[in-house]
Amino acid sequence: MQSLLSANDLHVSYGAVEAVRGVSFDIRQGEIVAFLGANGAGKSSIMNAITGLVPTASGQVMFEGRDITGAAPETLAPSGLTLSPEGRRVFGTLSVADNLRMGAFALNDKDAVEAAYARVYELFPILLERKDQYAGTLSGGQQQMLAVGRALMSNPRVLLLDEPSLGLAPLIVDQIFDLILKLRDQDVTLLVVEQNVAKTLQVADRAYVLVNGEVVEQGKPAELSASGTMQDAYLGAN
């Protein structure tokens, strides 16, 4: 099956520091693929490079057979590629509904916007209850739901989730991972960066393990769980 999203020999640098060193990956339609690794392994830098938030030093990113390397971030959501960033980054002084509308900027059809609202509110009923509330007054878990909901408003084919469970209570973490499976069932392809390795391996179809900006292993969850390489990737960073 042809890759929906892929990268070849991707390099990302911050000044003299090379954060991503020749990473290659591919994601096929309908998959949940995870990037795993300790803090500083380069996971978020890859996500930001894919979406044009940081420049690539070299390498290539392909989406649906098109070269999107270095594309402006605002051009990617209309084409079906959306990022839900680490740290939620909701607009605290805007209402829940207005935050969601910010994610629908690529939709010009009023009916499409209303359908997107309906989908998000079905996935997250609490957001419907709080739709007129300022986003800054929501709990951490509710803000994460809002961040994911905002990313879904553009009806992406591929959704990039950067640390979706970070700082959340265990019950909310369970809900977030249930959501990931539900989105896959709705034909959304997902790339997930996550520190919660156990939960991630329960939902991912495949994963890439990164150390110091390089892929050191890749495979299915069962293969990685039995591998000492993944354990070393975390323990070696402590």
Side-chain angles (χ1 to χ4, degrees):
M1 186 183 296
Q2 186 177 8
S3 295
L4 183 59
L5 176 67
S6 64
N8 181 46
D9 197 25
L10 189 66
H11 290 255
V12 177
S13 297
Y14 301 99
V17 178
E18 192 172 19
V20 179
R21 307 176 183 185
V23 166
S24 298
F25 65 85
D26 69 281
I27 303 170
R28 296 180 286 273
Q29 175 68 39
E31 282 192 309
I32 300 172
V33 173
F35 287 161
L36 302 175
N39 287 332
K43 306 183 302 296
S44 293
S45 292
I46 296 171
M47 300 281 256
N48 289 334
I50 292 169
T51 52
L53 294 173
V54 299
T56 58
S58 63
Q60 186 179 49
V61 181
M62 301 289 292
F63 176 55
E64 294 185 314
R66 296 180 293 108
D67 188 344
I68 61 167
T69 312
E74 64 271 15
T75 67
L76 296 178
S79 69
L81 179 65
T82 307
L83 170 68
S84 179
E86 179 183 358
R88 301 153 200 162
R89 302 183 193 176
V90 300
F91 300 97
T93 57
L94 296 181
S95 70
V96 166
D98 285 342
N99 267 268
L100 293 176
R101 185 170 293 277
M102 296 289 284
F105 74 92
L107 302 180
N108 296 319
D109 182 83
K110 182 179 179 181
D111 290 340
V113 174
E114 292 305 315
Y117 270 124
R119 178 194 189 190
V120 170
Y121 287 147
E122 182 179 1
L123 287 169
F124 303 111
I126 189 65
L127 297 184
L128 178 59
E129 294 177 24
R130 306 290 175 88
K131 66 184 181 69
D132 297 320
Q133 187 172 323
Y134 287 131
T137 65
L138 299 176
S139 70
Q142 292 163 0
Q143 287 188 11
Q144 183 62 66
M145 293 175 190
L146 179 56
V148 175
R150 182 179 60 197
L152 290 172
M153 286 293 291
S154 62
N155 296 321
R157 290 193 66 198
V158 178
L159 176 61
L160 280 60
L161 295 176
D162 195 352
E163 301 287 5
S165 76
L166 185 66
L168 301 182
L171 180 62
I172 304 300
V173 171
D174 289 342
Q175 293 176 8
I176 292 296
F177 280 93
D178 286 344
L179 169 72
I180 290 172
L181 291 173
K182 187 178 293 185
L183 290 174
R184 199 242 321 255
D185 291 342
Q186 294 183 0
D187 205 29
V188 178
T189 301
L190 295 108
L191 174 58
V192 182
V193 160
E194 194 31 87
Q195 285 289 316
N196 192 325
V197 176
K199 282 284 188 184
T200 303
L201 291 179
Q202 287 175 11
V203 302
D205 297 297
R206 294 185 298 116
Y208 293 80
V209 182
L210 289 106
V211 175
N212 296 326
E214 298 180 277
V215 173
V216 296
E217 191 165 11
Q218 59 178 294
K220 295 182 179 180
E223 298 167 347
L224 296 176
S225 295
S227 169
T229 303
M230 189 171 69
Q231 297 171 19
D232 292 344
Y234 286 88
L235 297 177
N238 292 333

